[in-house]
Every structure is written in C-alpha cells, then in structure tokens.
Amino acid sequence: MARFLIGATIVRDLPEGRAVARIVETEAYLPMDAAAHSFRGKTARNRTLFGRRGHAYVYYIYGNYYCFNVSAEAAGVGAGVLIRAAEPLRGLEGMRVRRPGARDRDLLRGPGRLASALAITRAEDGLDLCAAGPLWLAAPLAPRAEIVTSRRIGLTKEVDRLLRFYERGNPHVSGAKNAG
DNA sequence: AAGAAGATTCGCT
DNA sequence: GCGAATCTTCTTA
C-alpha cells in the first residue's frame, strides 16, 4: 500500500476552500515491526491502526507536530502507511495560512509540515479515507514516475529495513540528503 | 507516581 | 551540521 499511495491524491476541505495534493513520499510500518506504533499491541492512541484498512491514524509527536497515516491491513492486524510528503496542487492559500513564511515547495514537505498545512490533528483520527468527507484519498490516475526505495527516516529501531518510498527527483520529497 | 523516549522541525553556528 | 523545544504516551517501580 505504501507503494500504491505514491501518486494518490489527498483531498482536504479547509475553511479557505478545498486543498488538493499529490502524495510523493510514504513509509510502511508492518506487523512485527519494532519501529511501528502497533508493535506492542492496541492502545487508546493507536487503535485505528488495528481497524479496517483505509482509515486515518493521526498521532501527536515531539510536543509540536501531528503525523498522518493510513491504516493498511485487515481488521485486527496493526499496520499503517505514514504519508511523509506531498505536492500541493490546488487550494494553496489555505495551506499557506497554516505554514506562514514557508516556500510553496515546502508546504507539504515532511510529515509534520504536511499535517500542519492540511490542518490534520487527532480530530481526524479514524476518518474513513475512502468515503466522502472532509478528508479523503483518490487513487493514482496518471502514470507515475520511478519509485525509489530507501531506509526509513528518524528511527532508532529497525533502521535497515527498506520501507520508505518516494518519486525520484521530485522536489517535494523531504530530506534531500536522505535520498539513499 | 515518576521518568524516558519519540515515525520532527527550526534556528543558529 | 547540531541541539533545543515541547508534551503525550507508554513503561517501570
């Protein structure tokens, strides 16, 4: 699913209007993956990871930021895909309001920035992303560029697993230095 | 009940 | 390139 979501569209309704973006970077968090929030079992915070696939799992991190994930397996199995970066397509005004001073290129570049620009918080946790609503996803339409595989970013466990995916050369991908 | 770590970002050197 | 900021959640005592 992490691969599939590259090129998919995020549709988010903000007070300023509808924001649309194209996913360019994701990471997979598998069952039996010590780096995954689901690894130690279901809790109040991560319960949507254990629900049906295609629902929003949003968590708060470092006292400042939210990260937006998509639950990725059948009910009862804990797994998800972190949406790390996207390319803004429409409704940039609403995103700019939430990321003052940022260049357009950086509006959705990085998981914390993406959630901030699209106003995604714990309030959106559990939303069905395959149904009409304030936040949903549309499958990729156009042919996609080459997808690169790499190590995941910012982890202290399972650091060698190749579970990050991004479009080669896309300027909206986070951490240029992390290209490997 | 207390403490440590965390799927990040930004500013400063 | 490095370290602080900031607070929630989970683990351990």
Side-chain angles (χ1 to χ4, degrees), chain A residues 11 48 52-57 68-71 123-138:
Chain A
V11 183
T48 60
R52 287 159 47 227
R53 80 191 80 213
H55 292 245
Y57 166 53
F68 172 46
N69 302 250
V70 183
S71 63
E124 281 69 39
D125 184 78
L127 281 181
D128 184 352
L129 300 173
C130 300
L135 173 65
W136 51 279
L137 300 177

Side-chain angles (χ1 to χ4, degrees), chain A residues 2-9 21-27 82-89 105 109 139-150 153 163-176 178-180:
Chain A
R3 268 184 181 280
F4 172 77
L5 286 176
I6 301 289
T9 304
R22 182 173 172 280
I23 297 173
V24 299
E25 179 184 353
T26 63
E27 280 178 357
L82 171 67
I83 308 303
R84 286 195 57 90
E87 174 178 354
L89 298 180
R105 186 194 143 192
R109 194 165 145 268
L141 295 178
R144 299 177 294 177
E146 181 189 355
I147 297 178
V148 184
T149 303
S150 83
I153 294 181
L163 292 173
R164 172 174 173 249
F165 307 92
Y166 63 94
E167 271 197 351
R168 184 184 295 285
N170 191 301
H172 299 89
V173 170
S174 73
N178 302 309

Side-chain angles (χ1 to χ4, degrees), chain A residues 91-167:
Chain A
L92 300 239
E93 319 80 52
M95 305 184 210
R96 293 190 189 112
V97 168
R98 292 165 182 79
R99 294 205 30 77
R103 296 174 302 180
D104 285 353
R105 186 194 143 192
D106 296 333
L107 284 174
L108 306 175
R109 194 165 145 268
R113 294 162 165 180
L114 183 148
S116 175
L118 296 177
I120 297 173
T121 70
R122 280 291 287 179
E124 281 69 39
D125 184 78
L127 281 181
D128 184 352
L129 300 173
C130 300
L135 173 65
W136 51 279
L137 300 177
L141 295 178
R144 299 177 294 177
E146 181 189 355
I147 297 178
V148 184
T149 303
S150 83
R151 286 163 157 70
R152 294 177 291 187
I153 294 181
L155 303 187
T156 58
K157 302 168 193 154
E158 304 278 9
V159 296
D160 290 331
R161 297 180 85 161
L162 300 176
L163 292 173
R164 172 174 173 249
F165 307 92
Y166 63 94
E167 271 197 351

